[in-house]
Amino acid sequence: MEFIVMEGQAPASTAPQVLAIGKFDGVHLGHRAILNAARGLLAPEERLAVMSFEPHPTYALTGNPEYARWLTPRRERVRLFTELGVDAFYVARFDRAFQQLEPAAFVDGYLVPLRVRHVVVGPDFRFGRGGQGTVDVLRDLGRERGFDVQVVQPVEEHGHKISSSRIREHLREGRVEAAQALLGRPYVVSGEVVHGDKRGRTIGFPTANLGGIDAYVLPKTGVYAAFVEVEEAHHACSAHAFGVLNAGYRPTVDGRAFQLEVHLLDFDGDLYGKTLRASFLRRIRDEMKFESLEALKAQIARDCEVARALVGLSSGAPAERRLST
């Protein structure tokens, strides 16, 4: 998949394209409906393309720190779009100059060079200075410049619109299964395994500590059943296993910084420097402070049994999906 960050305007495309435009934070089921609609418009000579914006427009316009983090940071969106068969992914810098573009200037600088024949958006799409550009404005401009516009209505779940904001709310409350229902897949955080204090190893439950996770929306503190994959080049995965993941501050050992650390079931090996992709499956319990490391050790053992039951592994039996280095 071709990936381009656009500074100032779009590059000239060598092929005509069907373009889906949006924030695509989460690449959830609503976003996938937009991509499917765009795919359905493709002619044999056309490419399927996506345009998104960075930083998150809500953060750029309001400064709300919650939106400094993404459900799917750029790396995750690249991976997901590649899996979904997108041919080109364009990211427009949502800086002050971009925000001041008139609607026609946006179309002429960012859509016309891409040789778009069809543009696919959601009904709330806005563009141009002050959000002046509506779907109707885009249709009028497209009619003059040789492309049409298709609007995809929101996808609903139990009568409510699927949205990134709802997914964020579910994660804030630890409702990872509810988030999964809207995403169409488990919520994932990827990070490189970094050195920690190695205290888990001393109590018989070594953990892999994930670094480089600051760009992600992080779920509520607590203990989760997780599915973990080792990520290799081009987003391929070489191995996988189930595990117990602690998200939080580790109050028993007076931790100060938020960490994601995962104990992998039936695994003993060195993962330092490898990138792990952790999928949140079920929330097991709140994070809590224990009176001693022995009490913590006993609770982790119970957490492992709960996790085994949740993912369908019999007690004491090795995980079928064994992780290997």
Side-chain angles (χ1 to χ4, degrees), residues 204-281:
F205 293 98
T207 59
N209 301 281
L210 303 189
I213 59 174
D214 291 344
Y216 286 90
V217 173
L218 298 173
K220 182 179 180 180
T221 59
V223 177
Y224 296 83
F227 180 63
V228 181
E229 301 165 282
V230 177
E231 189 171 301
E232 305 294 348
H234 307 296
H235 310 291
C237 290
S238 61
H240 43 227
F242 293 108
V244 174
L245 186 152
N246 187 80
Y249 298 91
R250 304 177 304 149
T252 303
V253 296
D254 297 323
R256 294 289 182 266
F258 188 101
Q259 291 188 6
L260 292 184
E261 51 182 3
V262 58
H263 170 69
L264 302 170
L265 301 177
D266 310 313
F267 172 76
D268 182 21
D270 184 4
L271 292 171
Y272 290 118
K274 295 184 179 293
T275 296
L276 298 189
R277 187 185 303 164
S279 298
F280 290 77
L281 302 180

Side-chain angles (χ1 to χ4, degrees), residues 70-309:
W70 292 77
L71 295 168
T72 45
R74 180 193 295 180
R75 187 171 181 275
E76 287 296 320
R77 280 174 288 153
V78 167
R79 176 178 70 85
L80 290 167
F81 288 146
T82 299
E83 292 177 357
L84 292 169
V86 172
D87 300 304
F89 177 27
Y90 303 102
V91 170
R93 291 289 189 191
F94 200 79
D95 55 19
R96 187 170 297 276
F98 183 87
Q99 295 169 33
Q100 295 304 310
L101 288 175
E102 297 295 334
F106 167 75
V107 169
D108 290 335
Y110 286 86
L111 302 189
V112 172
L114 295 180
R115 295 181 63 191
V116 297
R117 290 184 177 174
H118 307 277
V119 173
V120 184
V121 295
D124 299 328
F125 178 68
R126 295 290 184 275
F127 65 103
R129 185 171 64 180
Q132 299 175 48
T134 63
V135 169
D136 288 337
V137 170
L138 185 61
R139 280 200 176 101
D140 290 341
L141 291 168
R143 193 174 298 113
E144 296 169 0
R145 289 157 176 80
F147 64 84
D148 64 26
V149 176
Q150 178 168 329
V151 177
V152 177
Q153 295 304 312
V155 176
E156 294 188 349
E157 186 256 358
H158 297 313
H160 298 282
K161 174 185 172 183
I162 292 177
S163 68
S164 298
S165 59
R166 282 186 65 204
I167 296 169
R168 286 171 177 263
E169 180 183 352
H170 286 318
L171 293 175
R172 280 196 302 270
E173 298 301 322
R175 299 189 295 261
V176 293
E177 291 173 276
Q180 177 175 337
L182 306 187
L183 288 165
R185 65 185 188 284
Y187 184 63
V188 169
V189 174
S190 297
E192 181 179 334
V193 179
V194 297
H195 288 275
D197 55 23
K198 298 180 174 63
R199 187 175 279 106
R201 189 172 297 278
T202 66
I203 62 173
F205 293 98
T207 59
N209 301 281
L210 303 189
I213 59 174
D214 291 344
Y216 286 90
V217 173
L218 298 173
K220 182 179 180 180
T221 59
V223 177
Y224 296 83
F227 180 63
V228 181
E229 301 165 282
V230 177
E231 189 171 301
E232 305 294 348
H234 307 296
H235 310 291
C237 290
S238 61
H240 43 227
F242 293 108
V244 174
L245 186 152
N246 187 80
Y249 298 91
R250 304 177 304 149
T252 303
V253 296
D254 297 323
R256 294 289 182 266
F258 188 101
Q259 291 188 6
L260 292 184
E261 51 182 3
V262 58
H263 170 69
L264 302 170
L265 301 177
D266 310 313
F267 172 76
D268 182 21
D270 184 4
L271 292 171
Y272 290 118
K274 295 184 179 293
T275 296
L276 298 189
R277 187 185 303 164
S279 298
F280 290 77
L281 302 180
R282 296 278 294 274
R283 192 168 191 271
I284 296 174
R285 62 173 174 86
D286 289 340
E287 186 179 43
M288 59 187 71
K289 184 172 183 177
F290 293 90
E291 295 181 355
S292 67
L293 290 180
E294 282 300 314
L296 173 61
K297 178 180 178 179
Q299 181 60 57
I300 295 174
R302 290 191 289 271
D303 295 337
C304 289
E305 290 307 306
V306 171
R308 284 180 177 277

